Amino acid sequence: MEALDRVLKPKTKRAKRFLEKREPKLTENTKNAMLIKGGNANLTVTEVLKDIYAVKKPFAVLYKKKNITRPFEDQTSLEFFSKKSDCSLFLFGSHNKKRPNNLIIGRMFDYHVLDMIELGIEKFVSLKDVKNSKCPEGTKPMLIFAGDIFDLNEEYRRLKSLLIDFFRGPNVPSIRLAGLEYVLHFTAVDGKIYMRSYKVLLKKSGCKIPRIELEEMGPSLDLVMRRTHLASDDLYKLSLKQPKALKAKKKKNISHDVFGTTYGRIHMQKQDLGKLQTRKMKALKKRPAEKSVEEDGGSSPKKTKSA
Amino acid sequence: MLPARRPGTERGRFRSRAAGAARTWRRSGAAGPRVAAMAAVRVEELLAAAEEQEAEKQRSIAVHKELELEFDLGNLLALDRNPPAAAGLRGAGQRREALLRALARDNTQLLVAQLWALPAERAGGAAGPLVAQLPEPAFRLPREKPPPRPRPPTRWEQFARLKGIRRRKRGSLVWDEQAKEWRRRWGYRRAGGDPARAWVAEVPAGADPDEDQFAKRRREKRERVARNELNRLRNLARAHRAAGAPAAPLHPTGHQSRAELGRAARVARLSTASLGRFQPRLPKEPAEPPSRGGGKKRRFAPLLGDLAAERSRQLELLRGMSSKKPPLDITRAVNKQLREEDAEAAATKGKKRAQRGKRGRRQQQRPGHSGKKSGSKRQQRRPASGGGGSRRKKA
């Protein structure tokens, strides 16, 4: 246990719980995001951060004050914040003449910056501007990525992974089917990324699966990719490594068919067929028909002989 | 007449029913062949209409895509690889929004169809909401922190594993004879009375009568606590050294150990372009032993090298052969054997106890199996036999 293996042991149960929540575990906590404003953040960027905070509640922290840092030059400030608030995802918004309406989305591994991608906001429609009904806070969104460039280009692939990590929410074992209300749709076309959020309406269709109608809701962003700071391949591979204990244990002697049939295997000892009990098995008894045939066959040679 | 049509009946069932009805109609033979033909035509029409309706329903949820979508239902994720219609999306705002919305609707329809196909049940009885079991997320995402490393065992843990000592679960309440009730082991109103109110401390038989027993008690407690803390820190340092020391750099201020400095010096020597082959050594620095992974597993001394060293080596050999001392260090060999035996016994005992359970633990506590007394006796008896054996060999 890490909390008790420190030089200064925690003196209260509360401190111990606090440390245990932050130590590395086999199955990790849901990733928290920190939303930070840069030195000269304008209204658009502030609104974007507020809307994303509303989407990501309660797994996000919105910092109210401006922080004068440049993430691409110096990452120590971000790492310090990450360590203090135990957040591994961040969204940094700033604005200047060279990079207007700038948004840097990134993630951390072991409190050090892993990936950072800078996106420029071309158009933004806020939650307040769309006058439709909204879905409740903390709904797990459905994520859809459209566009073949998300697989072909390395930077877009990392961006896809970052966006999934950012918006996916807690990992749940089961979900209420009627509660699938929120969908985030990302389309990558012509060097631009369109992010749209819709509220899902389930309409009756004749069969079991409902017909989907979408209603525009929530923040919609038109983004363009600017600079990137991606982790090297080996660091990325190291961060993807899962401990062996999480691998599903394979049950021996059980196998599955393509059609879903489960087969079991039983190991028997070698059976001595000479010692099989044949006297008490009805099926092996001679039938009366067979008996008479045998008797005739057996007695007839006698008869012919005598005759 | 034909049976009333229920909406949503499956086509097959409907058809067989209609066919059966038609069959009975024909079988009755009451009407002529013309009426039967008309009935057959009506049946055909109805079947066609039913098929139309079914197709209509399926059409409302059917989506046509060139490339199938990839789904990761654990993350509620769908990946569409089809290249989107770039021409349409380049246009004006309204048209673009409509196109994006249509695309989103199609993709969401496919994803929801997949989710509805999962095994679902009613949570909380028959009236509860329909809940689907999600599989494990398949998309590999990087971790937040590196996976935890198991810490190496402490000195006590190693010893306990060797001896086969297992941790006994202590109860939280202890019977207090004086108070005649169950009291907690430590804390408020503990068993054994309040230590602050112990007003008498007996002077033991061999102690100095002028010594302050209370002060002695306090001092001993302080020493015990300090020793415990020291051992804990030593265990931590050992664990830290075993795990992270090769990765961690040298301690900046003079708290380095001799081994650490040696390691750092060796690494510094090897960090040249020619990997340390031409680095001069300091006057008192010992020569590096050549066996450090030099590329060959066995290295032989050159044939005509150091004559003095060869001479001394041969003389040592002769001396060893002619001396009466046994070449085997008996005590070391015996101790090693005992340790191995103990470890084996501990392993088998652990296995047996796992099988037997409570019975095994009770049998373990039988006297006469503790290590110290019997171990020393064994040690005294063994050397005699060992010496005798070796002497017999020589003769």
Side-chain angles (χ1 to χ4, degrees):
Chain A
M1 240 195 303
E2 264 291 325
L4 298 176
D5 283 346
R6 305 166 134 245
V7 177
L8 293 169
K9 283 207 289 194
K11 288 205 177 3
T12 54
K13 288 261 167 73
R14 185 163 175 233
K16 189 172 151 203
R17 264 181 274 138
F18 177 86
L19 288 172
E20 274 178 357
K21 200 168 89 152
R22 297 194 171 200
E23 68 187 12
K25 297 182 200 128
L26 277 179
T27 40
E28 292 187 316
N29 307 334
T30 315
K31 289 194 185 180
N32 282 335
M34 50 187 182
L35 308 167
I36 313 172
K37 288 199 286 190
N40 44 8
N42 61 355
L43 188 66
T44 324
V45 155
T46 322
E47 290 287 309
V48 169
L49 289 174
K50 267 206 228 157
D51 279 357
I52 304 245
Y53 174 63
V55 168
K56 262 221 60 115
K57 265 202 231 178
F59 298 104
V61 183
L62 177 68
Y63 286 115
K64 295 211 160 66
K65 294 222 164 113
K66 293 190 177 177
N67 295 291
I68 306 174
T69 39
R70 300 206 179 110
F72 272 85
E73 273 96 53
D74 178 31
Q75 286 122 32
T76 45
S77 165
L78 279 176
E79 289 174 3
F80 173 75
F81 282 139
S82 153
K83 207 167 191 136
K84 280 289 166 184
S85 61
D86 192 31
C87 292
S88 53
L89 301 163
F90 67 89
L91 197 62
F92 182 90
S94 66
H95 171 82
N96 50 19
K97 203 154 154 204
K98 190 169 175 195
R99 289 177 237 275
N101 297 330
N102 209 19
L103 209 61
I104 303 177
I105 185 168
R107 63 183 155 201
M108 310 271 197
F109 176 68
D110 198 16
Y111 304 123
H112 295 293
V113 169
L114 184 67
D115 286 337
M116 271 198 298
I117 297 181
E118 193 176 57
L119 302 160
I121 307 169
E122 309 238 302
K123 189 168 85 98
F124 170 61
V125 178
S126 156
L127 272 168
K128 300 198 290 285
D129 296 339
V130 179
K131 304 266 188 281
N132 287 335
S133 62
K134 318 283 185 209
C135 66
E137 209 174 79
T139 322
K140 191 167 157 91
M142 292 190 275
L143 299 164
I144 305 180
F145 287 82
D148 50 345
I149 199 173
F150 275 126
D151 286 309
L152 302 174
N153 193 343
E154 176 61 35
E155 299 188 338
Y156 276 85
R157 225 180 305 157
R158 285 284 179 95
L159 178 65
K160 177 177 79 173
S161 158
L162 241 175
L163 290 168
I164 295 172
D165 218 353
F166 203 90
F167 287 111
R168 88 173 158 147
N171 189 13
V172 288
S174 55
I175 192 161
R176 191 171 76 100
L177 287 173
L180 289 167
E181 289 179 327
Y182 192 37
V183 63
L184 282 167
H185 191 267
F186 298 88
T187 321
V189 147
D190 264 354
K192 288 215 185 135
I193 302 155
Y194 300 104
M195 172 182 142
R196 299 282 181 271
S197 348
Y198 300 103
K199 186 167 151 74
V200 174
L201 303 165
L202 305 163
K203 297 280 161 89
K204 257 189 203 284
S205 76
C207 27
K208 218 169 54 144
I209 301 167
R211 185 181 158 78
I212 300 290
E213 293 293 330
L214 295 180
E215 201 185 321
E216 175 89 30
M217 175 201 119
S220 78
L221 290 162
D222 287 0
L223 303 162
V224 65
M225 203 191 278
R226 288 178 188 159
R227 293 184 287 179
T228 59
H229 171 98
L230 303 177
S232 60
D233 273 338
D234 46 350
L235 182 60
Y236 194 67
K237 262 198 207 158
L238 185 69
S239 68
L240 284 174
K241 228 184 188 179
Q242 299 288 343
K244 261 196 197 168
L246 282 181
K247 255 199 309 192
K249 291 262 179 282
K250 189 171 188 285
K251 268 189 132 174
K252 280 181 137 184
N253 297 324
I254 295 178
S255 61
H256 295 273
D257 206 359
V258 186
F259 303 105
T261 330
T262 314
Y263 293 100
R265 205 180 185 137
I266 309 173
H267 298 270
M268 302 276 297
Q269 290 167 338
K270 195 170 164 71
Q271 208 175 11
D272 188 9
L273 292 168
K275 292 209 179 105
L276 254 182
Q277 172 69 272
T278 49
R279 292 188 61 191
K280 289 189 179 168
M281 287 193 190
K282 258 192 171 175
L284 298 173
K285 274 204 178 135
K286 285 196 181 153
R287 301 247 159 69
E290 283 177 9
K291 247 186 180 172
S292 58
V293 164
E294 264 208 36
E295 270 186 27
D296 289 342
S299 53
S300 42
K302 229 183 178 178
K303 274 189 187 161
T304 50
K305 261 192 185 171
S306 63
Chain B
M1 291 305 281
L2 292 162
R5 212 174 353 108
R6 263 190 289 125
T9 21
E10 278 182 75
R11 225 172 54 183
R13 229 188 316 151
F14 179 71
R15 190 195 272 140
S16 65
R17 244 202 227 173
R23 252 187 275 127
T24 52
W25 186 259
R26 276 194 223 110
R27 228 186 272 143
S28 67
R34 208 160 43 114
V35 181
M38 264 171 57
V41 164
R42 230 176 282 157
V43 165
E44 290 297 330
E45 278 175 29
L46 281 162
L47 281 174
E51 244 185 81
E52 263 287 322
Q53 271 211 350
E54 288 288 336
E56 177 87 30
K57 279 179 206 159
Q58 292 292 340
R59 223 179 292 141
S60 71
I61 63 160
V63 173
H64 172 70
K65 285 269 175 187
E66 280 174 9
L67 272 174
E68 285 298 317
L69 265 60
E70 249 186 46
F71 297 102
D72 177 12
L73 298 173
N75 279 327
L76 300 182
L77 176 67
L79 302 167
D80 184 8
R81 292 231 164 82
N82 299 303
L89 290 166
R90 226 174 280 147
Q94 270 300 78
R95 191 153 165 252
R96 183 161 67 203
E97 291 305 311
L99 273 168
L100 282 174
R101 195 198 201 132
L103 179 64
R105 197 220 77 82
D106 289 341
N107 287 335
T108 319
Q109 181 73 67
L110 289 167
L111 179 58
V112 165
Q114 286 286 319
L115 284 168
W116 242 259
L118 285 173
E121 56 180 22
R122 291 239 158 233
L130 195 61
V131 164
Q133 303 289 332
L134 289 176
E136 287 290 320
F139 197 83
R140 281 184 83 191
L141 288 166
R143 280 175 69 98
E144 217 180 2
K145 293 161 191 150
R149 263 190 310 214
R151 59 181 228 282
T154 60
R155 252 174 93 77
W156 166 252
E157 277 172 4
Q158 285 170 6
F159 177 76
R161 200 188 306 155
L162 185 66
K163 288 287 180 187
I165 301 170
R166 282 244 193 129
R167 184 162 172 69
R168 279 198 334 255
K169 177 94 177 149
R170 293 167 149 199
S172 56
L173 297 176
V174 187
W175 177 252
D176 189 2
E177 250 331 297
Q178 265 190 347
K180 296 273 189 296
E181 65 169 359
W182 288 97
R183 286 242 174 110
R184 53 188 80 179
R185 192 182 287 279
W186 53 269
Y188 180 61
R189 288 216 192 123
R190 69 189 79 160
D194 189 3
R197 300 231 187 144
W199 54 272
V200 63
E202 276 185 32
V203 177
D208 182 16
D210 292 330
E211 194 185 2
D212 185 0
Q213 293 302 319
F214 296 105
K216 182 168 161 215
R217 215 187 271 170
R218 280 198 303 272
R219 192 180 56 234
E220 279 179 352
K221 178 157 173 90
R222 234 180 296 134
E223 279 170 10
R224 263 181 280 137
V225 168
R227 194 181 334 129
N228 197 7
E229 186 64 19
L230 177 71
N231 282 328
R232 187 180 77 90
L233 291 173
R234 264 207 223 135
N235 279 326
L236 267 186
R238 204 175 293 124
H240 181 76
R241 204 192 317 142
L250 207 56
H251 198 282
T253 62
H255 290 275
Q256 304 93 321
S257 68
R258 192 203 158 92
E260 265 185 46
L261 284 169
R263 233 180 288 145
R266 194 179 337 123
V267 171
R269 156 179 292 276
L270 290 179
S271 315
T272 58
S274 41
L275 299 179
R277 280 193 66 189
F278 305 108
Q279 288 296 111
R281 287 204 166 256
L282 290 173
K284 285 198 183 161
E285 210 180 342
E288 182 76 27
S291 63
R292 265 256 156 209
K296 297 181 198 165
K297 284 203 180 138
R298 278 188 81 180
R299 279 178 174 262
F300 299 98
L303 278 176
L304 290 174
D306 196 355
L307 283 175
E310 193 180 339
R311 184 193 153 97
S312 58
R313 217 180 329 124
Q314 307 281 15
L315 285 174
E316 267 306 315
L317 197 66
L318 280 170
R319 202 171 301 141
M321 276 165 47
S322 64
S323 82
K324 297 262 197 287
K325 229 171 15 131
L328 183 69
D329 192 326
I330 297 295
T331 21
R332 271 188 78 185
V334 163
N335 284 340
K336 191 170 178 187
Q337 181 68 22
L338 284 176
R339 262 205 308 266
E340 277 176 24
E341 274 183 3
D342 276 340
E344 257 176 69
T348 47
K349 223 182 272 175
K351 268 191 229 159
K352 269 196 219 161
R353 198 185 292 126
Q355 290 171 12
R356 276 198 245 130
K358 221 184 195 176
R359 234 188 326 130
R361 209 189 309 138
R362 261 191 246 131
Q363 285 187 14
Q364 221 273 310
Q365 287 172 7
R366 263 187 299 157
H369 283 269
S370 63
K372 282 190 184 161
K373 277 190 185 168
S374 46
S376 61
K377 266 193 229 148
R378 272 191 272 169
Q379 205 176 5
Q380 282 168 20
R381 263 187 275 131
R382 278 285 186 80
S385 63
S390 65
R391 247 179 265 135
R392 250 182 273 130
K393 258 193 196 166
K394 275 191 214 151

